[in-house]
């Protein structure tokens, strides 16, 4: 058999869960060499035709494959929904985890999607299309990212403000009138001016979580106000998580520099604000924007924090039969585009037992 065909067939056997231990060992070695680009693309295309229903999921997985070579095997498993959706290093003696019987009978809970409502200065609210990923506030009206119209006219007068909010299970991007981009996470909202020209500052109010790419204007700083802090920038990329039901706010800098109250933040630093105190620590900034990249990343993260993210994204409520479980910590990477029952099976791999009842998740360990 031709070598390329051999590798394709090996991948097919893997995604169909038919590969034996010898074949898995060989596949592991080939993946480690980065010698499977073409073959993986072929099998991914086959899987797309057979299994997947969302082009967005495919784009997310393709991006991850090129960005994280060592995760290829797990990503292939994700594509056919036979893995745990945790991205973990391959081990040939690792036991497979099959979906539990209780999940197979549960309501199918899908991940979040693009959905938001914008409220204009005159009080008019517009439900934004789930087929679009974002909107642009422009002089010629309000448009979607692809140029199609949302509204022909918007109020650009001085002091005119608008707001956009996402529900639980929603995300949306906003390009402000100055060219700055804001990606809203689930259950979040921003209030902003529809025209920053002539104003001394570009002020925006945030409740929830958002990722900012701020257009540089040297003489017009960009200020984000949350429940307990003020973040001042000129032009940079950063993430703020400031949900009302969290005990603290997290501000993480990706590039540039920002000032939080009177403290300066540098790239790969994170400021935690709690009870009027700010603590700064070194982090991997990419972990803070995992949600924007279609992932849940955890590094010694508490179960409580992770499940808050799950609750917001999947629009579910989470209950603990033992409150001590909230403090359990673990590390891993999890796709935000898994169905919730697949996600819970992934948690089971880490010893976290759950029960799903309609839109309620019970942690039962």
């Amino acid at each position: 058999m031709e070598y390329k065909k051999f590798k394709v067939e090996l991948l097919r056997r893997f995604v169909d869960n038919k590969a034996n231990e010898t074949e898995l060992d060989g596949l592991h070695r080939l993946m480690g060499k980065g010698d499977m680009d073409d073959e993986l693309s072929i099998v991914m295309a086959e899987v797309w035709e057979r299994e997947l229903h969302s082009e967005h999921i495919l784009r997310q997985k393709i991006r991850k494959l090129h960005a994280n070579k060592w995760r290829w095997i797990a990503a292939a498993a994700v594509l056919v929904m036979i893995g745990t959706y945790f991205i973990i290093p391959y081990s040939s003696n690792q036991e497979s985890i099959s979906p539990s019987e209780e999940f197979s009978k549960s309501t199918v809970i899908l991940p979040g999607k693009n959905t938001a409502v914008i409220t204009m200065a005159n009080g008019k609210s517009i439900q934004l299309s789930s087929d679009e990923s974002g909107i642009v506030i422009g002089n010629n009206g309000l448009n979607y990212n692809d140029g199609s119209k949302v509204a022909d006219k918007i109020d650009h007068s001085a002091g005119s403000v608008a707001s956009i909010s996402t529900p639980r299970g929603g995300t949306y991007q906003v390009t402000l009138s100055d060219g700055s981009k804001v990606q809203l996470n689930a259950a979040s909202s921003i209030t902003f001016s529809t025209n920053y020209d002539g104003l001394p500052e570009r002020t925006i109010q945030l409740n929830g979580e958002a990722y900012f790419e701020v257009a540089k204007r040297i003489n017009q700083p960009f200020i984000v106000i949350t429940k307990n802090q003020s973040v001042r920038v000129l032009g940079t990329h950063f993430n703020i998580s400031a949900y009302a039901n969290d005990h603290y706010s997290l501000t993480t800098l990706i590039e540039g520099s920002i000032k939080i109250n009177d403290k300066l933040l540098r790239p790969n630093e994170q400021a935690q604000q709690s009870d009027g105190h700010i603590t700064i620590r070194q982090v991997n900034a990419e972990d803070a924007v995992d949600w924007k990249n279609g992932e849940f990343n955890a590094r010694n993260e508490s179960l409580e924090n992770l499940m808050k993210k799950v609750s917001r994204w999947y629009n579910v409520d989470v209950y603990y039969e033992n409150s001590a479980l909230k403090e359990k910590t673990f590390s891993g990477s999890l796709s935000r585009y898994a169905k919730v029952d697949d996600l819970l099976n992934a948690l089971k791999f880490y010893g976290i037992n759950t029960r799903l009842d309609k839109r309620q998740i019970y942690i039962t360990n």
Side-chain angles (χ1 to χ4, degrees), residues 121 155-162 192-195 199:
D155 188 352
H156 284 293
S157 60
S160 178
V161 296
F192 54 91
S193 173
T194 56
N195 184 6
L199 298 178

Side-chain angles (χ1 to χ4, degrees), residues 244-260:
N245 62 345
D246 282 346
H247 301 305
Y248 52 80
S249 299
L250 294 175
T251 303
T252 311
L253 184 62
I254 287 79
E255 64 177 65
S257 64
I258 58 178
K259 183 175 285 188
I260 304 174

Side-chain angles (χ1 to χ4, degrees), residues 121-122 160 223:
N122 61 5
S160 178
I223 299 175

Side-chain angles (χ1 to χ4, degrees), residues 71-290:
R71 297 177 174 178
W72 282 1
I73 283 185
V78 167
L79 283 173
V80 292
M81 298 183 181
I82 65 171
T84 65
Y85 280 89
F86 263 86
I87 299 177
I88 53 178
Y90 164 79
S91 171
S92 62
N93 60 5
Q94 179 179 309
E95 294 182 5
S96 61
I97 300 174
S98 59
S100 63
E101 189 173 317
E102 61 181 300
F103 290 152
S104 65
K105 298 177 181 178
S106 66
T107 302
V108 175
I109 297 176
L110 298 175
K113 61 181 181 179
N114 295 324
T115 182
V117 172
I118 186 169
T119 302
M120 310 305 294
N122 61 5
K124 180 182 178 181
S125 294
I126 301 173
Q127 176 67 54
L128 299 174
S129 173
S130 295
D131 294 328
E132 304 286 347
S133 60
I135 57 171
V136 179
I137 311 293
N139 293 328
N140 60 342
L142 182 64
N143 299 327
Y144 288 113
N145 284 349
D146 64 2
S148 58
K149 285 285 185 183
V150 180
D152 290 328
K153 295 181 179 180
I154 56 176
D155 188 352
H156 284 293
S157 60
S160 178
V161 296
S163 65
I164 182 169
S165 61
T166 57
R168 291 205 305 179
T171 184
Y172 228 78
Q173 185 188 79
V174 185
T175 301
L176 301 175
S177 61
D178 68 334
S180 297
K181 295 182 179 181
V182 185
Q183 181 76 43
L184 285 173
N185 202 352
S188 301
S189 64
I190 55 171
T191 301
F192 54 91
S193 173
T194 56
N195 184 6
Y196 287 113
D197 291 343
L199 298 178
E201 297 172 338
R202 295 169 288 167
T203 302
I204 185 170
Q205 292 182 326
L206 167 69
N207 178 31
E209 184 168 17
Y211 173 77
F212 295 85
E213 295 182 1
V214 178
K216 191 170 184 178
R217 289 188 178 183
I218 296 176
N219 297 318
Q220 192 185 41
F222 190 99
I223 299 175
V224 182
I225 299 172
T226 70
K227 60 181 180 180
N228 58 7
Q229 69 180 17
S230 174
V231 178
R232 185 183 182 93
V233 305
L234 291 176
T236 186
H237 296 187
F238 60 99
N239 190 85
I240 297 179
S241 179
Y243 284 100
N245 62 345
D246 282 346
H247 301 305
Y248 52 80
S249 299
L250 294 175
T251 303
T252 311
L253 184 62
I254 287 79
E255 64 177 65
S257 64
I258 58 178
K259 183 175 285 188
I260 304 174
N261 297 346
D262 61 343
K263 295 184 181 294
L264 188 66
L265 212 61
R266 295 179 174 81
N268 286 311
E269 287 185 340
Q270 182 179 79
Q272 178 174 308
Q273 170 102 348
S274 179
D275 297 327
H277 300 287
I278 297 179
T279 303
I280 297 177
R281 61 174 181 165
Q282 289 283 331
V283 297
N284 180 349
E286 289 301 314
D287 288 344
V289 295
D290 55 353

